[in-house]
């Protein structure tokens, strides 16, 4: 049995811990910082921040029993946590900093797509406010402004007209609303269609798609309100058939891997292409260099293969030797958030659960234990994942069960898969 440390403390990390806890090869699980739900499966270390590379390295050095560290969030990957762990002789799952740039720099990602013929929206890159403002005079609207660096999923502005775009440009490049992430700006064409999250495991040489999923980014029903980290997901995406899945592999995932190899970059970990699909057109909106949140909460419960074996294969470069299988179930996850998220919201509200179906999975995100009670401690509080033979049944089950969750000012979208 091997002991594993998971870095992160959201719903995604809860789903990773849940999945590896089922492996008969995994012994003790540690998680830093973790949350109140993860604490039921793992020894959590809330004193260690997911971004604190020194503290994580010190923890791994002090615990010789840790065989593998799984780095789940974007910032520590971009900051080189895997590089540091490996340099000190430790085993880690996740891309190194040079590969994590695929997510951490939008201009790097766009240039890679252009160079290797991967379909994406037409774009321009700017490092100076004046030239970007000049471009906005002549471009067509709506247009999309993207801060180059990591901005907690908030660095993308969709601007309906020139005035909105000029205001957004000022916010990003002059007021530095996203800090240094806005030193470089990508302006790209606005795309329409439906979105699909195409995640894949990658060992540097082979890329194996996971099952498809779809997120709902806006805070409110009807895709209204602000962009959030994600308010609900379903898997598989019923809008993507087998032929489209094959095209996603042939036209996006494989060419991305080949492009990275040609650039001398070894990508080991989870490669996630956020796609916009319109008719027979597939375009990449963005890459992430990690599992999605809350996509992971619907993907991993459907995984039939041992996740620990997959992590091992990604690190060892043996992904071509294992078969990755999915259960026939469909999954739906509805996120319960604190009222006001993604802007101002209160924390410390007591969470209680009424009767729920026995096979419902509650993945915790912003939860903590205070004076022996379970309380809210973040914007996205938890996700209720339901599995069922069809998406429609999974949706009904998720909504029936989320009614049993209560805390003051709970907010969740009521329209996930409403169209079915
Ligand atoms: P990103 O962080 O690049 O995925 O952008 C966040 C969200 O903004 C996406 O999930 C889309 O909903 C939207 N978005 C990003 N780029 C575009 C685009 N070129 N056209 C339309 N919507 C976009
Ligand atoms: N659910 C979107 C993301 O993880 O970036």
């Amino acid at each position: 049995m091997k002991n594993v440390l998971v870095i992160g403390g959201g719903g995604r990390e809860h789903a990773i811990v849940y999945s590896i806890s089922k492996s008969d090869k995994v012994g003790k699980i540690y998680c830093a910082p973790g949350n109140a739900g993860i604490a039921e499966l793992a020894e959590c270390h809330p004193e260690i921040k997911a971004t604190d590379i020194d503290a994580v390295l010190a923890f791994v050095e002090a615990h010789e029993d840790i065989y593998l560290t799984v780095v789940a969030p974007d910032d520590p990957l971009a900051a080189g946590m895997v590089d540091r762990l490996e340099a000190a002789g430790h085993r880690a799952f996740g891309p190194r900093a040079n590969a994590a740039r695929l997510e951490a720099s939008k201009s790097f990602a766009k240039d890679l797509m252009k160079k290797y013929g991967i379909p994406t929206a037409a774009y321009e890159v700017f490092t100076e406010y004046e030239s970007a403002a000049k471009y906005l005079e002549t471009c067509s609207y709506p247009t999309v402004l993207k801060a180059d660096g990591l901005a907690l999923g908030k660095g993308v502005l969709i601007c309906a007209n020139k005035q909105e775009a000029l205001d957004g440009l000022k916010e990003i490049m002059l007021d530095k609303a996203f800090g240094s992430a806005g030193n470089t700006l990508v302006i790209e064409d606005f795309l329409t269609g439906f979105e699909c999250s195409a995640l894949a495991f990658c060992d540097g040489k082979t890329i194996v798609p996971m099952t498809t999923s779809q997120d709902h980014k806006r805070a409110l029903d009807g895709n209204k309100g602000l962009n959030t980290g994600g308010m609900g997901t379903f898997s598989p995406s019923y809008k993507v058939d087998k032929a489209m899945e094959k095209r996603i592999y042939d036209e996006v995932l494989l060419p991305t891997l080949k492009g990275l190899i040609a650039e001398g970059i070894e990508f080991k970990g989870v490669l996630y292409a956020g796609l916009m699909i319109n008719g027979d057109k597939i375009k990449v909106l963005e890459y992430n260099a990690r599992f999605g949140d809350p996509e992971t909460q619907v993907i991993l419960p459907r995984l039939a293969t041992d996740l620990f074996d997959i992590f091992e294969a990604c690190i060892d470069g043996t992904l071509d030797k294992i078969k990755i299988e999915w259960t026939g179930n469909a999954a739906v996850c509805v996120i319960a958030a604190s009222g006001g998220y993604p802007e101002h919201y209160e924390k410390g509200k007591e969470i209680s659960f009424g009767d729920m179906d026995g096979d419902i999975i509650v993945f915790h995100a912003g939860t903590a234990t205070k004076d022996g009670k379970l309380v809210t401690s973040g914007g996205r509080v938890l996700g209720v994942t339901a599995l069922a033979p069809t998406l429609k049944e999974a949706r009904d089950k998720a909504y029936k069960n989320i009614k049993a969750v209560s805390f003051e000012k709970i907010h969740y979208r009521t329209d996930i898969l409403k169209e079915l």
Side-chain angles (χ1 to χ4, degrees):
M1 301 269 268
K2 303 278 206 301
N3 295 351
V4 179
L5 165 65
V6 176
I7 303 301
R12 166 183 54 206
E13 288 75 17
H14 194 177
I16 293 170
V17 168
Y18 162 89
S19 196
I20 58 172
S21 73
K22 295 191 179 309
S23 168
D24 55 14
K25 297 175 187 109
V26 172
K28 182 168 179 173
I29 306 174
Y30 298 90
C31 189
N35 61 38
I38 296 174
E40 288 175 19
L41 299 169
E43 179 182 303
C44 288
H45 284 269
E47 75 283 4
I48 303 176
K49 281 202 190 117
T51 46
D52 191 341
I53 299 182
D54 291 335
V56 167
L57 184 58
F59 186 82
V60 172
E61 306 254 273
H63 292 76
E64 278 180 15
D65 61 305
I66 294 175
Y67 167 78
L68 168 69
T69 301
V70 178
V71 184
D74 50 1
D75 330 19
L77 289 167
M81 188 177 280
V82 168
D83 310 53
R84 283 281 297 284
L85 287 165
E86 285 184 348
H90 305 292
R91 200 167 165 81
F93 175 83
R96 298 180 194 120
N98 68 342
R101 278 185 79 202
L102 208 52
E103 171 167 10
S105 168
K106 294 203 188 275
S107 59
F108 170 77
K110 294 292 290 191
D111 290 348
L112 186 105
M113 287 188 258
K114 191 174 185 178
K115 186 165 173 187
Y116 295 98
I118 298 154
T120 188
Y123 72 103
E124 297 284 340
V125 178
F126 300 93
T127 51
E128 277 160 23
Y129 170 84
E130 286 73 21
S131 45
K134 204 167 155 200
Y135 176 82
L136 291 177
E137 294 292 333
T138 55
C139 75
S140 59
Y141 288 92
T143 195
V144 185
L145 308 190
K146 297 186 168 185
D148 185 64
L150 296 177
L152 296 169
K154 295 176 190 158
V156 174
L157 303 180
I158 300 191
C159 306
N161 53 49
K162 191 166 82 184
Q163 193 52 51
E164 268 185 47
L166 287 169
D167 292 347
L169 175 65
K170 180 172 170 293
E171 205 185 321
I172 295 176
M173 288 197 102
L174 297 183
D175 305 342
K176 300 279 178 212
F178 310 109
S180 60
N183 289 350
T184 300
L185 181 80
V186 172
I187 303 183
E188 71 177 28
D189 288 357
F190 177 74
L191 301 174
T192 54
F194 70 87
E195 291 185 46
C196 171
S197 301
L199 280 73
F201 292 108
C202 195
D203 70 358
K205 299 176 298 197
T206 301
I207 187 157
V208 181
M210 298 186 209
T211 180
T212 53
S213 58
Q214 185 176 325
D215 191 8
H216 295 71
K217 297 224 177 204
R218 301 295 193 98
L220 308 174
D221 282 6
N223 291 327
K224 300 212 167 67
L226 294 171
N227 259 338
T228 68
M231 293 299 292
T233 36
F234 59 81
S235 173
S237 168
Y238 67 94
K239 298 168 191 164
V240 174
D241 60 15
K242 286 270 166 252
M244 184 64 84
E245 270 188 49
K246 182 168 180 331
R247 285 190 51 208
I248 294 171
Y249 178 79
D250 290 340
E251 295 171 31
V252 175
L253 297 174
L254 193 57
T256 303
L257 174 63
K258 285 187 174 161
L260 287 165
I261 292 171
E263 295 295 308
I265 297 170
E266 187 183 52
F267 192 107
K268 291 183 171 196
V270 173
L271 197 152
Y272 160 161
L275 309 174
M276 185 74 91
I277 302 177
N278 194 339
D280 65 352
K281 287 200 178 63
I282 306 173
K283 292 207 169 160
V284 178
L285 290 175
E286 62 158 352
Y287 291 111
N288 293 316
R290 52 167 175 84
F291 279 109
D293 188 342
E295 285 90 340
T296 309
Q297 292 91 308
V298 284
I299 290 176
L300 292 185
R302 299 187 53 229
L303 180 65
T305 308
D306 186 326
L307 181 61
F308 177 78
D309 285 342
I310 302 176
F311 286 159
E312 292 276 79
C314 287
I315 297 168
D316 295 335
T318 54
L319 257 187
D320 58 336
K321 306 268 187 313
I322 61 170
K323 195 164 177 349
I324 297 180
E325 292 177 303
W326 304 92
T327 68
N329 272 330
V332 172
C333 174
V334 181
I335 298 293
S338 302
Y341 169 78
E343 293 186 292
H344 303 292
Y345 55 85
E346 292 166 35
K347 297 182 189 175
K349 306 293 178 197
E350 191 174 343
I351 305 167
S352 62
F353 296 99
D355 280 345
M356 288 180 141
D357 292 334
D359 57 348
I360 284 290
I361 316 169
V362 177
F363 288 122
H364 289 226
T367 68
T369 311
K370 198 175 164 202
D371 304 326
K373 288 181 179 151
L374 184 66
V375 297
T376 64
S377 69
R380 289 189 293 174
V381 175
L382 53 84
V384 171
T385 294
L387 293 158
T390 65
L391 280 170
K392 208 170 159 180
E393 289 165 282
R395 172 204 65 192
D396 290 344
K397 201 160 143 184
Y399 276 117
K400 175 182 153 223
N401 283 276
I402 202 169
K403 290 203 175 78
V405 180
S406 70
F407 54 86
E408 207 182 304
K409 295 191 184 150
I410 185 172
H411 164 68
Y412 55 86
R413 278 182 63 159
T414 63
D415 66 342
I416 310 291
L417 282 180
K418 201 174 177 179
E419 67 273 23
L420 289 189

